[in-house]
Amino acid sequence: MTTRAARERALELRGIFEAAGAAVVECDILQPAETLLDLYGEDIRARAYVTQDPARGERMLRPDFTVPVVQMHMAGGAEPARYTYAGEVFRRQEDHPGRASEYLQVGFELFDRTDPEAADAEVFCALQSALEGLPLRAATGDIGILMAAVAGLGTSEARRAALLRHIWRPRRFRQLLNRFSGKSPLPETRRALLAEADPMACAAPIIGLRDREEIAARIEALRADADEPPIARGEVEMIDELLSVAETCPFAIDHLKHLGMDHPPLRAAVDRFERRCDALAARGVNVDILDFEAAYGRTSMEYYDGFVFGFYAERRPDLPPVATGGRYDALTARLGQGESIPAVGGVIRPDILSEIGGDP
């Protein structure tokens, strides 16, 4: 249940972002489920509240603000644009039953194609400034570096696409990487299926959503994948080393540049990381002590595809992050009907501030 203190703090935070030039926006609490399911797949049903409207079809209680804000902006927002909002979001907490399933979220979103690294720094610093004086630890990462590494692998387009699709699901990503590199053998059931001259000859009646043609096409895709040579050991080792990077920003840059010497697809993404650090330093952030984790954000930030960050209560590791954010360029392309614009944003949870002595 949202407390009065949390609501007052939410409005105060929104006012800070509004004073920084952000326009206040409102978003419907009931959102079309089709859009969110298309973005996240059926996985989101485990984390969102779904209901059925007799006239509008399947709907979801708003799980966050970013998607509706992007839709609103792509429908005709000016450039550059800054938005802020405050309101409830709703998340099922089956894995963490002690956590609130309804809570306030205050956000700041920036759409600007001029200088993405400067925009990253502006959003990070806007949230950091709004939380000034609180005992918080900052964590940063960059999903774009891992995506660049995967996109540059010397394997089939289908395998690269599968790995990219599961970057935000570390366990599934690792299973695929092990299989594509030959570390894990092909399952016996699949081996037997592909060994059949005509796997559809003795097929059971079709009772699922796929028809015979779709099933046959899938079998051919599996055969093509089985004929692919394994991903080179050196490339797998590069991915493993990349994911192990957890250092302060200057050391992380040096480490990643060293990796990029042997793996050129990394270089442009690492250069963006370095420019972002320069932009953060120009705004007064001490990047020499700012933590960077290459694997950060892979389990909770599904639409982010570049810079990611979070602020955590130093003395309360039991609490969720006080604030999170990141870059989501690809999301604007998916929701923009052919148009796209670089975008970055972040959100704060006012209810957690009271837990760490952050009431107004």
Side-chain angles (χ1 to χ4, degrees):
M1 183 67 68
T2 300
T3 66
R4 179 176 179 179
R7 191 170 297 280
E8 289 175 350
R9 187 59 187 268
L11 295 176
E12 176 191 316
L13 290 166
R14 191 182 70 178
I16 292 173
F17 297 138
E18 186 177 8
V24 175
V25 293
E26 303 285 346
C27 300
D28 292 339
I29 288 180
L30 277 177
Q31 292 290 318
E34 182 180 4
T35 301
L36 295 160
L37 288 167
D38 185 51
L39 284 170
Y40 305 130
E42 290 291 328
D43 288 355
I44 196 173
R45 289 187 187 275
R47 306 191 307 280
Y49 290 96
V50 184
T51 187
Q52 189 73 27
D53 184 281
R56 298 181 178 182
E58 202 169 33
R59 316 294 282 182
M60 281 188 187
L61 287 176
R62 182 174 62 207
D64 67 23
F65 279 84
T66 302
V67 170
V69 169
V70 170
Q71 288 180 305
M72 177 205 68
H73 178 80
M74 299 310 292
E79 291 186 26
R82 291 165 177 80
Y83 302 108
T84 184
Y85 46 80
E88 284 84 0
V89 295
F90 305 85
R91 304 277 185 92
R92 292 169 61 181
Q93 302 288 0
E94 293 182 3
D95 294 334
H96 304 281
R99 293 183 178 178
S101 56
E102 174 187 347
Y103 53 87
L104 283 167
Q105 195 176 75
V106 182
F108 177 56
E109 313 287 342
L110 172 56
F111 296 77
D112 191 348
R113 65 180 78 249
T114 315
D115 187 340
E117 288 73 38
D120 289 345
E122 178 180 342
V123 171
F124 178 90
C125 291
L127 269 69
Q128 184 183 57
S129 178
L131 298 168
E132 189 175 8
L134 297 175
L136 302 177
R137 172 184 66 87
T140 68
D142 193 331
I143 301 292
I145 297 175
L146 178 57
M147 294 179 77
V150 171
L153 292 175
T155 189
S156 68
E157 181 62 31
R159 285 184 168 183
R160 289 194 296 269
L163 288 167
L164 286 169
R165 188 166 59 251
H166 291 286
I167 272 180
W168 298 274
R169 301 175 182 91
R171 177 181 290 183
R172 180 57 176 158
F173 179 89
R174 175 56 59 181
Q175 290 173 339
L176 288 173
L177 190 61
N178 287 344
R179 178 153 59 83
F180 295 160
S181 63
K183 186 175 181 179
S184 297
L186 197 67
E188 280 302 319
T189 52
R190 182 172 298 183
R191 190 184 301 278
L193 173 71
L194 300 182
E196 294 282 346
D198 182 6
M200 298 296 293
C202 299
I206 305 298
I207 58 175
L209 296 177
R210 291 179 177 176
D211 58 27
R212 293 183 64 86
E213 289 73 20
E214 289 175 313
I215 295 172
R218 175 60 178 160
I219 291 172
E220 287 306 308
L222 292 175
R223 280 179 166 160
D225 181 74
D227 290 337
E228 278 289 320
I231 295 174
R233 177 184 296 179
E235 291 190 318
V236 176
E237 291 174 348
M238 178 270 293
I239 295 286
D240 289 339
E241 185 174 352
L242 168 61
L243 288 172
S244 73
V245 173
E247 306 165 79
T248 55
C249 287
F251 288 104
I253 290 171
D254 289 343
H255 195 157
L256 292 167
K257 280 186 172 180
H258 180 75
L259 270 178
M261 291 173 64
D262 294 325
H263 302 280
L266 287 177
R267 294 173 187 170
V270 177
D271 287 345
R272 287 192 292 273
F273 172 27
E274 187 169 26
R275 291 196 300 272
R276 182 185 308 118
C277 288
D278 290 341
L280 287 166
R283 286 181 170 269
V285 177
N286 186 354
V287 295
D288 289 342
I289 61 171
L290 183 62
D291 289 333
F292 177 89
E293 302 169 36
Y296 180 71
R298 292 183 63 210
T299 59
S300 58
M301 302 179 176
E302 296 157 310
Y303 47 70
Y304 293 139
D305 53 14
F307 177 48
V308 286
F309 65 88
F311 292 94
Y312 298 81
E314 288 184 314
R315 295 190 289 270
R316 291 293 305 273
D318 57 306
L319 293 175
V322 173
T324 56
R327 176 160 291 281
Y328 49 87
D329 296 350
L331 182 62
T332 71
R334 291 193 64 180
L335 297 177
Q337 299 179 345
E339 300 293 329
S340 64
I341 179 174
V344 57
V347 296
I348 297 173
R349 286 190 53 176
D351 59 314
I352 299 180
L353 297 182
S354 62
E355 300 273 352
I356 59 172
D359 282 335

